[in-house]
Amino acid sequence: MSTLFFLILFPLVVALALLVLKTDMARGVLVKAAAAVIAAGSVYLAWQYFGSNGDYFKFEGEYVTYIMMGLEIAIAGFIFVLGIKYKKYLASVLVAIQAPIMVWFELNVGHTIEVQSDLFIDKFSIIMALIIGVIGSLICVYALGYMKDFQHHHHDQKDRRPLFFFLLFLFLSAMFGIVFSNNLVWLYFFWEITTLCSFLLIGFTKTQEATNNAFRAIVMNLLGGFGFVLAIVYMGVTYQTIELNQLLAIGMMGYSVVIPAALLAFAGITKAAQMPFSSWLLGAMVAPTPVSALLHSSTMVKAGVYLIVKLAPVLGINPAGIMVMMVGGITFLLASFIAISQSNAKRVLAYSTVANLGLIVACAGIGTAAAVWAAIMLIIFHAVAKSLLFLCVGTAEHNIGSRDIEDMDGLFSRMPRVAIYMVVGICGMFLAPFGMLISKWAAMKAFVDSGNILLVMFIVFGSAATLFFWTKWLGKIMAIMARQENIESKVHTEEIFVLTTLAALTVLVCLMFPVLSAFVIVPYLTAVYATVSALAISSGNMYIMAAMLALIILLIIIGYGKTNKKIVPIYMAGVNTGDDLSYNGSIGQTVSVSLRNWYMESYFGEKKMNVIGNISTVAIMVGVFSLILGGVL
Amino acid sequence: MGLFSIGNMIIRSLFNKPATLMYPVIPRVYEEKTRGHINVDIEACVLCGICSKKCPTHAILVDRKKKEWSIARMQCIQCNCCVEYCPVNCLSMANTYTSPSTEKITDAYAKAAPEPAAKPVPEAAAPVMDAAVDVEPTV
Amino acid sequence: MMSYVTKSPWIIHYDGSSCNGCDIEVLACLTPMYDVERFGIINTGNPKHADIFLLTGSVNEQNIPVIKQIYEQMPEPKVVVAIGICATSGGIFAECYNVQGGSDKVVPVDVYVPGCAARPEAIIDGVVKGLGVLAEKRAAMVKK
Amino acid sequence: MGKRTIIPFGPQHPVLPEPIHLDLVMEDEVVVEAIPSIGFIHRGLEKLVEIKEFTEYVYVAERICGICSFMHGMGYCQSVEHGMNLTIPRRAEYLRTIWAELSRVHSHLLWLGLLADGFGFESLFMHSWRLREKILDIFEATTGGRVIFSVCKIGGVRRDVSNETLQSIIKTLVDMEAEVKELTDVFINDYTVKSRTVGVGVMSLQEAHDLGAVGPMGRASGLVQDMRLLGYAAYDDLDFAPIVETAGDSYARTVVRIREIFQSIDLIKQAVAKIPDGEVSVPVKDVPRAECFERLEQPRGEVIYYTKGIGTKFLERVRVRTPTFANIPPLLHCLKGCDLADVPILILTIDPCISCTER
Amino acid sequence: MDRLTYIIVAVAAYLILAPLAGGLLAGVDRRITARMQGRVGPPILQPFYDVFKLFEKEGITVNKVQDFYIQCFLIFIVITGCFFFAGGDLLLIIFTLTLASIFLIVAAFSSNSPYAQIGAERELLQMMAYEPMVLITAIGFYLVYGTFNISDVVAGGGPAIVYLPGIFIGFVYILTIKLRKSPFDLSMSHHGHQELVKGLTTEFSGKTLALIEIAHWYENIFLMGFVYLFFAWSAPWSPILAVLICCIIYFLEIFIDNNEARVKWQLAINTSWIAAATLGFVNMLVLYFIVF
Amino acid sequence: MYENSIIGIEPANLMKEAQKLKDEGYRIVQICANKVNGFELSYSFDREHDMKTLRMIIAEEDEVMSISHIFFPAFLYENEMKDLFGIKITNLVLDFNGNLYKLAQKTPWNPQN
C-alpha cells in the first residue's frame, strides 16, 4: 500500500516544490529526477503486485475524508469565483449545485457508511499506473525543452512555467489517485482535481480563446461531475455503499445497478470527450502541446474510459450498456469522419483520440470479456502512440513554425528522426501489424459477437475513414522532397530523448503483444469475469502479427534506401524546371508545385458531422435516462 | 438510362471477326487515287525545273549539269503539285508510300544519256514561271 | 540473347508543332482497323514507361525543352521515331518564323516515317523498324 | 498556402492529343483556377503568305489542321474567290459541300471517340474510331488522302468524283447509319457516360454569347448560329436547320454533335441527289486585289478567313480566326469549379484543335 | 494430409502458380477486351513479355526509397495470398492486404510527384470505398460458419452463397475497384489515357513497375480466391464449380470494364458505401435472425 | 450572300463605337492586325450572322486601349497582336506580357521592333 501512497503523494510534493523553483536549471534537474522516480515507482509497483489478482486496502483515518471535503469546497469556491470573474456563470451555477450536494451527502450519509477498502490495485490499475508513470513523466520531461521554446516564442509574457509544471505533476498525482481509489468519494475527489488541472492548463495562455475553451471544458466536466455526485448519492442512499467493487459485485450478482452505472458512465463519457461532449477536448488544443499529449494519452480522457471500462461488467444488454455502446460507436464513426476534414495536425490527433476513446467506450459498453480485452489493449496502444504523435507534432511545430499537416512537406528530409518517429506513431495508430489495429480487430469481433449490427456497421465504416486520414498524413510525411535543409539539430535533447523512448516503446509494446495479453490482461479478465471464453484473436495470429512486425523491421534494415539506380527528375508533363519543385507555367512564370491532401469538406465537414453526432448522442442519452427514470418512477 | 448500353455491340464484336486489317501480315491494297509517292519517268523528263520551283517544301532538286532529278523523300508532302505543273507529264503519283527509314533518303534519278533535244524546253518554260499566275494546268 | 524489348514496345506520343494530322493517324493505329496492340504496343502517355518516342510535327522555341525532357525521362533503351514530314524536316512549315526544323535538331532520331500525313501503315512500318534499333540498343546496353 | 494543390496539366499529357498547358489550382480535386498557356504549336504560317503565291498557299491552309483540313482549304479558296469575284462551277461547289459534310461526320465521330477516351470508356472509343475509318476510306477513294485531301484550289476543285462513286458513298453512309445510331445511343443513354457529362461545364445562353462561343459549343447553349445559313457553296440549295440544344452542359454539346452527324448524312444525301454535271474548275487569270472576310461553319464552329490581295501574286495578309480560338474563353469559364476528372472532358467538349488555334 | 503438409503445399503452389495464372488471366483479359472492341488484341502471353521487357530496362528512380516500398508491397501481397491459401484468418488476411496497399500508396506519395500523389490520394479514397464491404464480407463468413478461419469455411456444410447473396453482390461490386476495372479505375488504369497520366504508377519504371505488375497478378488470384470461398464447401465437386464461377465472375468484370465510363470519385465512394450499407447490412440482419 | 461591311473609324472613337455595338447586342468575333504604314486594325463583330468590321489605322508607336473590358474574349486577340506585331495595347483584362506564344523571334510581323 505504501507504494500506492508514494505514487499519489510524491508527484504532489514535487509539484509543490516546482511551484517555488524559479530557475531553469533547478527545475530541469528536479523534473528529470522526479520523472525517473515516478517511472521507477510505477515499474516497481507493477513488479510488486504482478502476482496479485486484486488487492484491496483499508485506510484508517477519517480525517482524510474531511481534508478532501475541505479541498473540494475550496476548489468549488475557486471555480465559482472565476466563473463570476470571467462572466461564465454556467460554471459557477454548476459548482454551486454540485458542491452543496456533496457536502450534504458527506455530512449526512457518507460518514455512516462503513468503507471496506479505500484503495485497491489490480492488473488494470497496474497498466494504468504504468501508463501514467512512464508516459506521463516522459511528457513532463519533454515539456522542459518545449516550454523553453514556448517561453522564447512568447517572450513578452511573464514566465509562468512554475505554475505549469506544478499543474503537470498535480495531474499525475490525481491520476494515480483515480486509478487506485476504490472509495468513490475519493475517486470523485481526484476526478475533480483533474478537472481543475485541465481547466487551468487549457486556460494557461490566458488568451480569450484559451479562456473560453477552458470554461467550456470545465462546464462539460462539471456536468459529468454532477452525474458522478448523483451516482454516489444514489448508491449511498440505496445500496449503503460507496465502493466501486461493491457496486460491481452487486451488479454481477444480478441486481439492477443501471442507475448508478448509467450516471457514472455519463461522468466517464464527459471526461472521455465522447459526443456530444467532444468539443471540450478540441478546445483544449489551445494549450501548449505537452498538455495536449498529457490530456490525450495518459491522463484526463483516460480517466474517463478507465471508469467506464471498470464498469464494463455491469454494462452490456441493459439501458446503461446500450447507451454507452451507442454513444461510443457513433463517436467513433463520426469523429473518424471529421478527422478526414482536418488539416491541423493537433485537431486530427484530437479527433482520432475522440474516435479511439469511442471505440474503447463502445467495447466497454458491450461488457463482455473479449470486448474488455480489446478495450484495455486499445488504452495501452493509444496511450503510447498518441503521446508520441503529439510530442512529434509539438517538436515539428516549433521547428517548422506550423502544426498544419500541409506544412509538413518534406519533413522526412528536413527532420528525419522526428519524421520517422511520427511515422512509427501513425503506423502504430492504424496499421497492421501494430497493436492498435490488432485491438481494433478484437473489438470488431467482439462487436460482431455482441449481435449489434449497427455497431458493426459503425466500426467497418469508421475503420475505413481511419485508414484514409492516417494514410494521407503518412504520405505527406513520407514524401521525399528535393533540396530540403536538415534542421533537426535545433531540437532539444530532452525532446529527442523522449521521442526516441516513446517510439521504442510503441514498437516494443507491439512486439510484446502476445505476452501482454497472456500475462496481464487475461488474468485480469479471469479475475473479473471468473470465466473467460475464447479470446477474440487466437494467440497464433498474435504471434503472426508480431512476426510480421519483426519482418518489417528486418526489411527496413536490409533494404531501406539502398539502391544503385540512377536518380532522375520527376514527371511533370514535360515542363519540370529541373529542380523537382517547380515547373514552367503559364504566362511565362515558374510555378511551384503544391501537392495537398484531400479533405472532402462537403462530405465530412466538421460542422455537419458534429451536428449529426450531437443530436443523435443526446437523443440516445435522453432516451436512456428517461427510460431508466421511467422505470424507477 | 442504361448501364450496359454498349453491351450488344461488344458482345457482337466478341463473337464476330475483328475489324482489324491485319497489316502487315496482309498487305494493304490502296485506292487508285491514293497519293503515295512521286514517280518520275526520268527519260521523259526535260529537267525544266518547274517542279522544283513549285514544290512547296523544296523537296525536288533538278541539277541540269549532272542531268539529275532528285527528290528528298522525307520532305515530300504528296500535294501532287509537281505532277500538275509538269509540262511533259513525266511525273506521276504512285499509290504506295515511301518506306520509313533510319536515314533521310533522297532518291536521285540521272538521265541515262544526254539528249540534246531536251535542252531548249526549260528555257521555253522559264518565262512562263515568271508570269504572275497564268500557270494553271488543268487536271 | 533473346530480348523482350521487341515484343512489348510501349510508346509515348508527343505532338511537336504539327497540324495534328499525323497525331490522329498515330491514334488511329491503336484503333480496331490497325490495332497495334497486336505487337504488344501500348500507348502509355508516360515517358517513364515508354520505349519508343513517337514524335510528330516540327520543333519550335517553346516545345524544344519539352521534347528534350520527355526524351531524357525515358529509360534506356529507347528509340525516337519521327512521324510525318514536319517531324523529319519541318515540311511545309520549314520556312515559318517560329519553326526551327525537324525533330532531329533536338533529339537523336532513329527512324523517319515519311508522309503528309503519315499513313497508319507507314507508322506501323516505322515502329517495326524502330524495334530493330531498339534491340540493337539493348544489346549494346548489355555489353556495357 | 492552405489546402491548394497546384499542378501542371500538359503540354505532354495522354488525354491531350495536342499540347496545351494549364496551371491547375485545386482544392481536393475541385479546380479553383485554371490558367492556360498555348503556343506549343505556333508556327506562324499566316506569314508564309509573303513567300508563297496565293495559289500555292492552299497547301499551307490545308495543313493548318489535320482534322478540319478540307474546310481550311475551302475557306481560303472561297475567301480569295470572293475577293476576286470569281464564280466557280456549281458542281465544284457541290463537291466541296459533300466533302465538307463528310469531314463533319468524320470529325464528330473522331471527337466522340476522344471524348469516350477522355472518360475512360475504351470500347466506346474503339468503336467510334472503327466507324470513322469508313469515312476515311471514302476520303481516300475520292481524294487520295486520308487526312490531307489536297482537292481544293482557287477556282474549283482538283479532282472530280464520278456519280457512281457518289452513289456508293451514299450506300456506305446508309449502311453505317444504323451502327452509328447504336453507338451514339450509348452517349445519349448510358448511365455512367451521363454521370460524366450531364451538368458538367454548364454555360448559359448569355454567357455563350458574351464569351464568343461558336459552333456546337454555342449551339448547345441555345445560341442559334450556323454559318451554313449564309448559303455559301451549295448550302443555299440544301434544306437544313441549325441544331440547337439549351442545357449548355457537356451532355448537350455531345447531343448537338451527335445530331449533326445525322444532319450531315442527310445533307450529303440531298447534295448527291441535286449535284449537277459539268466542269469542276475554272482557270484563274487574275490576281486578287480586294479584301474579304469569309465565314464558314467547320465541325468545331465558325471559322473566319480574311484575305487581302494587293494586285500581286502574293497576298498582303491572310488571317484565320479558328473556332477553337474563339472557344477558349468559354473553356476557361467552364473549367472553374469543375473536378480534375472533368478537366479532360471540358477540354474535349470544346473539341479543341490547338494547331488551328495557334496556326 | 495433415495440416502442416497442406499449408506447405498450398503456399508453395500459390507462390509458383499464382503469377503464372495471374499473368495468363491478364493476357486473356486483354485478348477478350480487344475482341470486344473489335480488335485482334495482343498475344495471350503479352503480360509476360511486358514484365520481362520491364526487367530489361534501365533502372531509374526518383528517390532512394520508393523501390523499397514497392518491394514491400509485393512481399506483403504475396504474404496475404499465402495466408489465404494456407487457410488463415480472414481478418488477418484483410489487414495484411491493407498493409500491402499502404506500401504501394506510400511509394507513390514518396515520389512527391503531382500525378503520382493525386493517384495515391485516389487510391486511398478507393480503399476507403471498398474497405467496409471487404470487412463485411469477412464478417458474413463468420456469421455463417462461426469462424474467420478459411480452412473451416471451405470445409463448411454448404456453400456460403446460400447465406450471403447480398454480401456476394456487394463484394463483386467492390471487386471492380480492386481489379482496377472501369468504372472504378480511378487511381491508375491499365489503359493509357486518363487524366492522371498513369496515376499511382507514374513514377515507377523498369523493374519496379514489373514488380507492381507481378504483385497485381498475385493479388488478382487472391481476389478470385475470395470469390471461390462463396462457392466452396465440403462437397468433392464444389472446387470445380467454384473455379468455374470465378471464371464467370472475371468475365463479368471484363464485360463491365468494357461497358462503363470511368466515373468520378464521388460516385465511386457513394455507391460502394451504399452497397455496403444496404446489401451488407440487410444480409447481416437476416443472418442474425438465423443465427441468434 | 452577305456583304463585308467595313466601317472606318478614328482610333479615339474605338471605345465608344465598341460600346455602342455591345449595347446593340453584338459580340466580338475577331480582331485582325495588318502592318501597312503603321498598323491597320480590324475589329469584327457579329449579331445573328450579321458581321460588322470596324477599321482603324494607327501609327506604330500609338497606344491602343484594350476593348477586353467591354468584350472579354478580345483579350486573346489583343494579346496575340501584342506578341506578333508589338502593338502597344494597354489596360488588358488578362495580360500575358508577351508570353501568349513563346517565340524565337520577338514580334515577327514587325521585325524592326
Side-chain angles (χ1 to χ4, degrees), chain C residues 53-75:
Chain C
F53 187 8
L54 300 188
L55 193 49
T56 56
S58 51
V59 299
N60 66 24
E61 181 76 2
Q62 194 163 352
N63 66 31
I64 282 174
V66 178
I67 293 168
K68 262 190 189 147
Q69 188 165 108
I70 294 170
Y71 179 75
E72 278 160 12
Q73 290 198 338
M74 289 170 62

PDB file of all heavy atoms in Angstrom, chain C residues 53-75:
ATOM      1  N   PHE C  53       9.514   6.663 -78.652  1.00  0.00           N
ATOM      2  CA  PHE C  53       9.013   8.033 -78.620  1.00  0.00           C
ATOM      3  C   PHE C  53       8.532   8.375 -80.025  1.00  0.00           C
ATOM      4  O   PHE C  53       9.333   8.465 -80.945  1.00  0.00           O
ATOM      5  CB  PHE C  53      10.164   8.944 -78.171  1.00  0.00           C
ATOM      6  CG  PHE C  53       9.765  10.383 -77.920  1.00  0.00           C
ATOM      7  CD1 PHE C  53       8.442  10.790 -77.927  1.00  0.00           C
ATOM      8  CD2 PHE C  53      10.744  11.333 -77.648  1.00  0.00           C
ATOM      9  CE1 PHE C  53       8.097  12.103 -77.681  1.00  0.00           C
ATOM     10  CE2 PHE C  53      10.409  12.647 -77.404  1.00  0.00           C
ATOM     11  CZ  PHE C  53       9.079  13.037 -77.418  1.00  0.00           C
ATOM     12  N   LEU C  54       7.234   8.520 -80.178  1.00  0.00           N
ATOM     13  CA  LEU C  54       6.696   8.905 -81.473  1.00  0.00           C
ATOM     14  C   LEU C  54       6.534  10.420 -81.472  1.00  0.00           C
ATOM     15  O   LEU C  54       5.783  10.971 -80.672  1.00  0.00           O
ATOM     16  CB  LEU C  54       5.334   8.258 -81.715  1.00  0.00           C
ATOM     17  CG  LEU C  54       5.280   6.742 -81.721  1.00  0.00           C
ATOM     18  CD1 LEU C  54       3.903   6.281 -82.178  1.00  0.00           C
ATOM     19  CD2 LEU C  54       6.339   6.153 -82.616  1.00  0.00           C
ATOM     20  N   LEU C  55       7.249  11.045 -82.359  1.00  0.00           N
ATOM     21  CA  LEU C  55       7.254  12.497 -82.364  1.00  0.00           C
ATOM     22  C   LEU C  55       6.665  12.968 -83.672  1.00  0.00           C
ATOM     23  O   LEU C  55       7.110  12.578 -84.745  1.00  0.00           O
ATOM     24  CB  LEU C  55       8.698  12.963 -82.219  1.00  0.00           C
ATOM     25  CG  LEU C  55       8.953  14.417 -81.899  1.00  0.00           C
ATOM     26  CD1 LEU C  55       8.107  14.878 -80.735  1.00  0.00           C
ATOM     27  CD2 LEU C  55      10.409  14.596 -81.547  1.00  0.00           C
ATOM     28  N   THR C  56       5.645  13.796 -83.573  1.00  0.00           N
ATOM     29  CA  THR C  56       5.079  14.351 -84.791  1.00  0.00           C
ATOM     30  C   THR C  56       5.309  15.852 -84.776  1.00  0.00           C
ATOM     31  O   THR C  56       5.446  16.455 -83.718  1.00  0.00           O
ATOM     32  CB  THR C  56       3.563  14.086 -84.866  1.00  0.00           C
ATOM     33  OG1 THR C  56       2.966  14.610 -83.698  1.00  0.00           O
ATOM     34  CG2 THR C  56       3.258  12.618 -84.973  1.00  0.00           C
ATOM     35  N   GLY C  57       5.323  16.427 -85.932  1.00  0.00           N
ATOM     36  CA  GLY C  57       5.423  17.885 -86.003  1.00  0.00           C
ATOM     37  C   GLY C  57       6.833  18.393 -85.843  1.00  0.00           C
ATOM     38  O   GLY C  57       7.737  17.712 -85.363  1.00  0.00           O
ATOM     39  N   SER C  58       6.996  19.624 -86.264  1.00  0.00           N
ATOM     40  CA  SER C  58       8.317  20.242 -86.199  1.00  0.00           C
ATOM     41  C   SER C  58       8.554  20.764 -84.787  1.00  0.00           C
ATOM     42  O   SER C  58       7.704  20.666 -83.927  1.00  0.00           O
ATOM     43  CB  SER C  58       8.382  21.386 -87.199  1.00  0.00           C
ATOM     44  OG  SER C  58       7.272  22.230 -87.007  1.00  0.00           O
ATOM     45  N   VAL C  59       9.728  21.316 -84.581  1.00  0.00           N
ATOM     46  CA  VAL C  59      10.032  21.826 -83.249  1.00  0.00           C
ATOM     47  C   VAL C  59      10.094  23.344 -83.279  1.00  0.00           C
ATOM     48  O   VAL C  59      10.437  23.946 -84.294  1.00  0.00           O
ATOM     49  CB  VAL C  59      11.356  21.259 -82.715  1.00  0.00           C
ATOM     50  CG1 VAL C  59      11.269  19.768 -82.610  1.00  0.00           C
ATOM     51  CG2 VAL C  59      12.525  21.674 -83.579  1.00  0.00           C
ATOM     52  N   ASN C  60       9.724  23.961 -82.163  1.00  0.00           N
ATOM     53  CA  ASN C  60       9.837  25.402 -82.063  1.00  0.00           C
ATOM     54  C   ASN C  60      10.381  25.790 -80.695  1.00  0.00           C
ATOM     55  O   ASN C  60      10.580  24.938 -79.824  1.00  0.00           O
ATOM     56  CB  ASN C  60       8.498  26.085 -82.359  1.00  0.00           C
ATOM     57  CG  ASN C  60       7.441  25.792 -81.322  1.00  0.00           C
ATOM     58  OD1 ASN C  60       7.747  25.474 -80.179  1.00  0.00           O
ATOM     59  ND2 ASN C  60       6.191  25.880 -81.712  1.00  0.00           N
ATOM     60  N   GLU C  61      10.617  27.045 -80.542  1.00  0.00           N
ATOM     61  CA  GLU C  61      11.202  27.576 -79.310  1.00  0.00           C
ATOM     62  C   GLU C  61      10.557  26.989 -78.048  1.00  0.00           C
ATOM     63  O   GLU C  61      11.232  26.592 -77.118  1.00  0.00           O
ATOM     64  CB  GLU C  61      11.002  29.105 -79.331  1.00  0.00           C
ATOM     65  CG  GLU C  61      11.568  29.835 -78.151  1.00  0.00           C
ATOM     66  CD  GLU C  61      13.080  29.967 -78.224  1.00  0.00           C
ATOM     67  OE1 GLU C  61      13.667  29.509 -79.222  1.00  0.00           O
ATOM     68  OE2 GLU C  61      13.665  30.508 -77.270  1.00  0.00           O
ATOM     69  N   GLN C  62       9.234  26.927 -78.082  1.00  0.00           N
ATOM     70  CA  GLN C  62       8.553  26.558 -76.849  1.00  0.00           C
ATOM     71  C   GLN C  62       8.535  25.060 -76.578  1.00  0.00           C
ATOM     72  O   GLN C  62       8.558  24.642 -75.428  1.00  0.00           O
ATOM     73  CB  GLN C  62       7.110  27.091 -76.888  1.00  0.00           C
ATOM     74  CG  GLN C  62       6.445  27.041 -75.538  1.00  0.00           C
ATOM     75  CD  GLN C  62       5.216  27.916 -75.479  1.00  0.00           C
ATOM     76  OE1 GLN C  62       4.947  28.678 -76.397  1.00  0.00           O
ATOM     77  NE2 GLN C  62       4.463  27.824 -74.423  1.00  0.00           N
ATOM     78  N   ASN C  63       8.489  24.248 -77.632  1.00  0.00           N
ATOM     79  CA  ASN C  63       8.400  22.822 -77.336  1.00  0.00           C
ATOM     80  C   ASN C  63       9.736  22.095 -77.328  1.00  0.00           C
ATOM     81  O   ASN C  63       9.798  20.932 -76.966  1.00  0.00           O
ATOM     82  CB  ASN C  63       7.372  22.133 -78.239  1.00  0.00           C
ATOM     83  CG  ASN C  63       7.760  22.107 -79.695  1.00  0.00           C
ATOM     84  OD1 ASN C  63       8.946  22.063 -80.018  1.00  0.00           O
ATOM     85  ND2 ASN C  63       6.786  22.112 -80.585  1.00  0.00           N
ATOM     86  N   ILE C  64      10.796  22.769 -77.677  1.00  0.00           N
ATOM     87  CA  ILE C  64      12.100  22.108 -77.645  1.00  0.00           C
ATOM     88  C   ILE C  64      12.437  21.580 -76.242  1.00  0.00           C
ATOM     89  O   ILE C  64      12.775  20.413 -76.078  1.00  0.00           O
ATOM     90  CB  ILE C  64      13.210  23.046 -78.178  1.00  0.00           C
ATOM     91  CG1 ILE C  64      13.140  23.079 -79.701  1.00  0.00           C
ATOM     92  CG2 ILE C  64      14.590  22.585 -77.730  1.00  0.00           C
ATOM     93  CD1 ILE C  64      14.075  24.079 -80.341  1.00  0.00           C
ATOM     94  N   PRO C  65      12.304  22.411 -75.193  1.00  0.00           N
ATOM     95  CA  PRO C  65      12.618  21.863 -73.863  1.00  0.00           C
ATOM     96  C   PRO C  65      11.694  20.731 -73.448  1.00  0.00           C
ATOM     97  O   PRO C  65      12.118  19.811 -72.755  1.00  0.00           O
ATOM     98  CB  PRO C  65      12.461  23.070 -72.927  1.00  0.00           C
ATOM     99  CG  PRO C  65      11.784  24.121 -73.700  1.00  0.00           C
ATOM    100  CD  PRO C  65      12.014  23.849 -75.142  1.00  0.00           C
ATOM    101  N   VAL C  66      10.456  20.818 -73.896  1.00  0.00           N
ATOM    102  CA  VAL C  66       9.503  19.759 -73.531  1.00  0.00           C
ATOM    103  C   VAL C  66       9.924  18.438 -74.169  1.00  0.00           C
ATOM    104  O   VAL C  66       9.982  17.392 -73.509  1.00  0.00           O
ATOM    105  CB  VAL C  66       8.072  20.146 -73.968  1.00  0.00           C
ATOM    106  CG1 VAL C  66       7.099  19.037 -73.630  1.00  0.00           C
ATOM    107  CG2 VAL C  66       7.650  21.448 -73.315  1.00  0.00           C
ATOM    108  N   ILE C  67      10.242  18.505 -75.447  1.00  0.00           N
ATOM    109  CA  ILE C  67      10.644  17.288 -76.155  1.00  0.00           C
ATOM    110  C   ILE C  67      11.912  16.720 -75.529  1.00  0.00           C
ATOM    111  O   ILE C  67      12.023  15.522 -75.282  1.00  0.00           O
ATOM    112  CB  ILE C  67      10.858  17.591 -77.653  1.00  0.00           C
ATOM    113  CG1 ILE C  67       9.520  17.935 -78.304  1.00  0.00           C
ATOM    114  CG2 ILE C  67      11.505  16.412 -78.357  1.00  0.00           C
ATOM    115  CD1 ILE C  67       9.640  18.512 -79.683  1.00  0.00           C
ATOM    116  N   LYS C  68      12.840  17.599 -75.247  1.00  0.00           N
ATOM    117  CA  LYS C  68      14.095  17.150 -74.624  1.00  0.00           C
ATOM    118  C   LYS C  68      13.805  16.441 -73.310  1.00  0.00           C
ATOM    119  O   LYS C  68      14.354  15.395 -73.011  1.00  0.00           O
ATOM    120  CB  LYS C  68      14.988  18.369 -74.332  1.00  0.00           C
ATOM    121  CG  LYS C  68      16.029  18.603 -75.385  1.00  0.00           C
ATOM    122  CD  LYS C  68      17.010  19.662 -74.893  1.00  0.00           C
ATOM    123  CE  LYS C  68      17.918  20.066 -76.024  1.00  0.00           C
ATOM    124  NZ  LYS C  68      18.311  21.459 -75.956  1.00  0.00           N
ATOM    125  N   GLN C  69      12.929  17.065 -72.526  1.00  0.00           N
ATOM    126  CA  GLN C  69      12.655  16.498 -71.216  1.00  0.00           C
ATOM    127  C   GLN C  69      11.984  15.134 -71.318  1.00  0.00           C
ATOM    128  O   GLN C  69      12.336  14.204 -70.598  1.00  0.00           O
ATOM    129  CB  GLN C  69      11.771  17.450 -70.422  1.00  0.00           C
ATOM    130  CG  GLN C  69      11.597  17.013 -68.998  1.00  0.00           C
ATOM    131  CD  GLN C  69      11.046  18.131 -68.132  1.00  0.00           C
ATOM    132  OE1 GLN C  69       9.922  18.095 -67.722  1.00  0.00           O
ATOM    133  NE2 GLN C  69      11.837  19.142 -67.864  1.00  0.00           N
ATOM    134  N   ILE C  70      11.028  15.027 -72.228  1.00  0.00           N
ATOM    135  CA  ILE C  70      10.361  13.732 -72.390  1.00  0.00           C
ATOM    136  C   ILE C  70      11.387  12.680 -72.783  1.00  0.00           C
ATOM    137  O   ILE C  70      11.427  11.581 -72.226  1.00  0.00           O
ATOM    138  CB  ILE C  70       9.256  13.825 -73.461  1.00  0.00           C
ATOM    139  CG1 ILE C  70       8.149  14.751 -72.978  1.00  0.00           C
ATOM    140  CG2 ILE C  70       8.702  12.449 -73.770  1.00  0.00           C
ATOM    141  CD1 ILE C  70       7.147  15.083 -74.041  1.00  0.00           C
ATOM    142  N   TYR C  71      12.268  13.055 -73.692  1.00  0.00           N
ATOM    143  CA  TYR C  71      13.279  12.097 -74.146  1.00  0.00           C
ATOM    144  C   TYR C  71      14.187  11.696 -72.993  1.00  0.00           C
ATOM    145  O   TYR C  71      14.472  10.519 -72.791  1.00  0.00           O
ATOM    146  CB  TYR C  71      14.097  12.710 -75.282  1.00  0.00           C
ATOM    147  CG  TYR C  71      15.173  11.789 -75.800  1.00  0.00           C
ATOM    148  CD1 TYR C  71      14.842  10.703 -76.604  1.00  0.00           C
ATOM    149  CD2 TYR C  71      16.504  11.999 -75.474  1.00  0.00           C
ATOM    150  CE1 TYR C  71      15.816   9.851 -77.080  1.00  0.00           C
ATOM    151  CE2 TYR C  71      17.488  11.140 -75.935  1.00  0.00           C
ATOM    152  CZ  TYR C  71      17.140  10.067 -76.743  1.00  0.00           C
ATOM    153  OH  TYR C  71      18.105   9.215 -77.194  1.00  0.00           O
ATOM    154  N   GLU C  72      14.596  12.688 -72.218  1.00  0.00           N
ATOM    155  CA  GLU C  72      15.503  12.384 -71.108  1.00  0.00           C
ATOM    156  C   GLU C  72      14.837  11.522 -70.039  1.00  0.00           C
ATOM    157  O   GLU C  72      15.501  10.744 -69.360  1.00  0.00           O
ATOM    158  CB  GLU C  72      15.996  13.690 -70.467  1.00  0.00           C
ATOM    159  CG  GLU C  72      17.143  14.306 -71.231  1.00  0.00           C
ATOM    160  CD  GLU C  72      17.314  15.776 -70.910  1.00  0.00           C
ATOM    161  OE1 GLU C  72      16.698  16.247 -69.942  1.00  0.00           O
ATOM    162  OE2 GLU C  72      18.066  16.455 -71.645  1.00  0.00           O
ATOM    163  N   GLN C  73      13.537  11.672 -69.901  1.00  0.00           N
ATOM    164  CA  GLN C  73      12.867  10.910 -68.848  1.00  0.00           C
ATOM    165  C   GLN C  73      12.580   9.470 -69.242  1.00  0.00           C
ATOM    166  O   GLN C  73      12.151   8.676 -68.413  1.00  0.00           O
ATOM    167  CB  GLN C  73      11.576  11.607 -68.438  1.00  0.00           C
ATOM    168  CG  GLN C  73      11.852  12.903 -67.687  1.00  0.00           C
ATOM    169  CD  GLN C  73      10.655  13.405 -66.904  1.00  0.00           C
ATOM    170  OE1 GLN C  73       9.533  13.072 -67.191  1.00  0.00           O
ATOM    171  NE2 GLN C  73      10.916  14.222 -65.900  1.00  0.00           N
ATOM    172  N   MET C  74      12.809   9.141 -70.498  1.00  0.00           N
ATOM    173  CA  MET C  74      12.587   7.752 -70.905  1.00  0.00           C
ATOM    174  C   MET C  74      13.803   6.921 -70.503  1.00  0.00           C
ATOM    175  O   MET C  74      14.931   7.315 -70.719  1.00  0.00           O
ATOM    176  CB  MET C  74      12.395   7.666 -72.419  1.00  0.00           C
ATOM    177  CG  MET C  74      11.084   8.247 -72.887  1.00  0.00           C
ATOM    178  SD  MET C  74      11.000   8.404 -74.666  1.00  0.00           S
ATOM    179  CE  MET C  74      11.152   6.723 -75.189  1.00  0.00           C
ATOM    180  N   PRO C  75      13.552   5.742 -69.915  1.00  0.00           N
ATOM    181  CA  PRO C  75      14.682   4.890 -69.551  1.00  0.00           C
ATOM    182  C   PRO C  75      15.274   4.195 -70.780  1.00  0.00           C
ATOM    183  O   PRO C  75      14.559   3.927 -71.744  1.00  0.00           O
ATOM    184  CB  PRO C  75      14.063   3.870 -68.595  1.00  0.00           C
ATOM    185  CG  PRO C  75      12.622   3.839 -68.925  1.00  0.00           C
ATOM    186  CD  PRO C  75      12.259   5.163 -69.506  1.00  0.00           C
TER     187      PRO C  75
END
